[in-house]
């Protein structure tokens, strides 16, 4: 029997998108954040067309977003996350996942503080924040911010004890198949990421691969709702991890359309990755793929997928 995820989570059906509003010259790493007006302009672009936003960290940017939603009386519901940093070294990370003992201890203390901040925001905005995430891609083999599963379980339990919203953890689909069985028992719902283009699939193979990823997890945990918290297609690549011939606005449009149509037909809450390009990410090379997942470019101009979705959604 098909599980209606929206009813299981007591939500209205709707579309989700990942949002981070950093423009040129702004970055969470430098502490230069978008202004109230910049965030407001972004959300006004999105508010008629998307219902659910996913935010990654409970930083000043998230505080501003929540403030704008509250003050402007926008109808978004938010999955609010806490970004947890490395607590153990990871020699498997290709771009560097080793730290000093002092740095790991400092990260652990910051993670504890982030979880407490997430609890504070959840209780401050109970009508806006509909769910909480105890981290993002912190247990997969290649991550540069590896956190023991036991720590993530502890963070989930703390959130559940101190806030009323359902609690999850956002991760690539693969660890849910084996490594995260214990975590699956304590979260209220499972959140997976699926990226066919990162795994060398063509756009023609993309939806079959996404469905394989999804059901490899959903079939393991038939009593747990499974949400897709990241799925998307890059529009540029310098060849780092993604073949440049396998990315384009056209491919992004095709994948986005197929993904959303399947999600709506199947009553699956899916967060498209992502709203806007983020130039601060990845290396300094302009075609670094990490910078080019938005359905809008950094100047807030819609790409083909953005134009398609804006045209489709007239409610």
């Amino acid at each position: 029997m098909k599980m209606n995820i929206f009813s299981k989570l007591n939500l209205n059906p709707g579309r989700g998108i990942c949002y981070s509003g950093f423009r040129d010259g702004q970055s969470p790493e430098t502490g230069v954040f978008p202004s109230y007006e910049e965030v407001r302009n972004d959300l006004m672009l999105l508010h008629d067309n998307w219902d659910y936003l996913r935010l990654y960290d409970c930083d000043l940017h998230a505080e501003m977003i929540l403030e704008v939603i509250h003050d402007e009386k926008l109808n978004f519901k938010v999955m609010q996350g806490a970004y947890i940093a490395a607590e153990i070294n990871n020699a498997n990370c290709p771009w560097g996942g080793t730290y000093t003992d002092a740095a790991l201890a400092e990260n652990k203390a910051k993670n504890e503080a982030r979880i407490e901040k997430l609890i504070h925001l959840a209780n401050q905005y109970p009508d806006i924040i509909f769910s909480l995430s105890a981290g993002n891609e912190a247990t997969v083999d290649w991550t540069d911010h590896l956190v023991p599963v036991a720590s993530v379980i502890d963070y989930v339990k703390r959130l559940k004890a101190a806030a009323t919203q359902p609690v999850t953890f956002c991760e690539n689909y693969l660890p849910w198949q084996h490594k995260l069985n214990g975590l699956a028992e304590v979260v209220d719902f499972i959140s997976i990421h699926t990226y066919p283009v990162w795994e060398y699939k063509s756009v023609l193979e993309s939806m079959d691969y996404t469905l394989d990823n999804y059901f490899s997890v959903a079939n393991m945990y038939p009593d747990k709702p499974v949400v897709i918290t990241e799925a998307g297609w890059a529009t540029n690549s310098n060849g780092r991890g993604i073949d440049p011939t396998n990315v384009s606005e056209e491919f992004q449009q095709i994948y986005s359309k197929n993904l959303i149509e399947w999600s709506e037909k199947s009553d699956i809450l899916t967060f498209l990755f992502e709203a806007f390009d983020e130039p601060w990410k990845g290396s300094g090379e302009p075609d670094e793929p990490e910078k080019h997942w938005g359905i809008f470019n950094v100047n807030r101009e819609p790409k083909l997928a953005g134009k398609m979705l804006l045209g489709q959604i007239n409610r």
Side-chain angles (χ1 to χ4, degrees):
M1 180 180 296
K2 182 175 70 173
M3 176 184 288
N4 187 315
I5 288 170
F6 292 100
S7 63
K8 291 286 287 187
L9 296 177
N10 196 29
L11 300 172
N12 293 320
R15 291 176 175 171
I17 196 161
C18 300
Y19 171 59
S20 181
F22 294 98
R23 292 163 162 77
D24 282 319
Q26 301 173 346
S27 164
E29 296 174 347
T30 61
V32 181
F33 294 95
S35 68
Y36 184 102
E37 194 61 28
E38 287 172 330
V39 170
R40 181 185 180 279
N41 289 343
D42 284 352
L43 298 188
M44 294 304 290
L45 281 175
L46 301 174
H47 86 285
D48 284 338
N49 308 302
W50 283 273
D51 308 280
Y52 297 98
L53 299 179
R54 181 181 170 215
L55 309 182
Y56 285 80
D57 197 10
C58 40
D59 57 6
L60 292 175
H61 187 34
E63 290 185 57
M64 183 68 74
I65 295 165
L66 294 167
E67 181 182 344
V68 171
I69 292 171
H70 176 269
D71 291 353
E72 305 294 333
K73 297 179 172 56
L74 302 177
N75 290 323
F76 290 115
K77 297 298 183 183
V78 170
M79 174 186 283
Q80 180 62 61
Y83 183 88
I84 52 175
E87 295 183 7
I88 52 177
N89 288 318
N90 184 12
N92 293 321
C93 177
W95 54 91
T98 57
Y99 308 87
T100 65
D101 290 344
L104 293 173
E106 182 180 357
N107 285 348
K108 176 67 174 177
K110 288 181 177 178
N111 289 346
E112 303 267 356
R114 289 183 180 113
I115 295 299
E116 291 304 313
K117 181 65 174 293
L118 181 54
I119 291 167
H120 171 76
L121 291 177
N123 292 326
Q124 183 179 0
Y125 294 103
D127 296 329
I128 296 174
I129 297 175
F130 79 92
S131 65
L132 310 175
S133 174
N136 181 69
E137 294 182 348
T139 63
V140 72
D141 288 347
W142 43 257
T143 187
D144 63 0
H145 52 284
L146 187 62
V147 177
V149 176
S151 286
V152 181
I153 291 173
D154 178 60
Y155 294 147
V156 168
K157 289 180 176 178
R158 288 197 218 177
L159 292 169
K160 292 179 70 169
T164 60
Q165 292 92 335
V167 179
T168 190
F169 172 71
C170 299
E171 185 56 278
N172 179 271
Y173 70 93
L174 196 58
W176 291 108
Q177 296 177 0
H178 53 93
K179 187 177 182 180
L180 301 184
N181 304 96
L183 180 59
E185 294 178 6
V186 299
V187 294
D188 294 302
F189 63 98
I190 292 168
S191 295
I192 71 163
H193 300 171
T194 170
Y195 283 110
V197 71
W198 273 123
E199 299 194 51
Y200 313 108
K201 303 301 179 183
S202 72
V203 73
L204 296 177
E205 303 169 289
S206 60
M207 277 310 300
D208 285 343
Y209 197 69
T210 289
L211 268 61
D212 285 347
N213 293 172
Y214 181 84
F215 287 109
S216 71
V217 177
N219 291 341
M220 283 189 66
Y221 307 102
D223 297 324
K224 290 278 182 178
V226 179
V227 169
I228 297 176
T229 42
E230 287 186 23
W233 205 273
T235 54
N236 290 81
S237 176
N238 59 357
R240 180 182 175 273
I242 296 177
D243 183 346
T245 66
N246 202 24
V247 294
S248 68
E249 288 193 26
E250 289 80 7
F251 292 160
Q252 184 188 61
Q253 180 186 32
I254 292 167
Y255 181 69
S256 300
K257 178 177 184 293
N258 292 339
L259 177 71
I260 289 172
E261 287 180 351
W262 169 77
S263 298
E264 293 184 338
K265 181 180 178 181
S266 304
D267 292 319
I268 304 298
L269 176 55
T270 295
F271 288 84
L272 186 66
F273 188 83
E274 62 180 327
F276 303 101
D277 283 348
E278 295 188 79
W280 69 273
K281 287 187 170 180
S283 71
E285 296 186 30
D287 284 339
E288 167 73 41
E290 291 285 359
K291 303 176 187 294
H292 296 285
W293 293 84
I295 60 168
F296 292 81
N297 66 28
V298 70
N299 296 321
R300 277 46 190 169
E301 298 161 341
K303 302 179 188 178
L304 291 178
K307 292 176 182 178
M308 175 196 68
L309 293 170
L310 291 170
Q312 279 187 348
I313 309 170
N314 294 305
R315 288 180 285 182

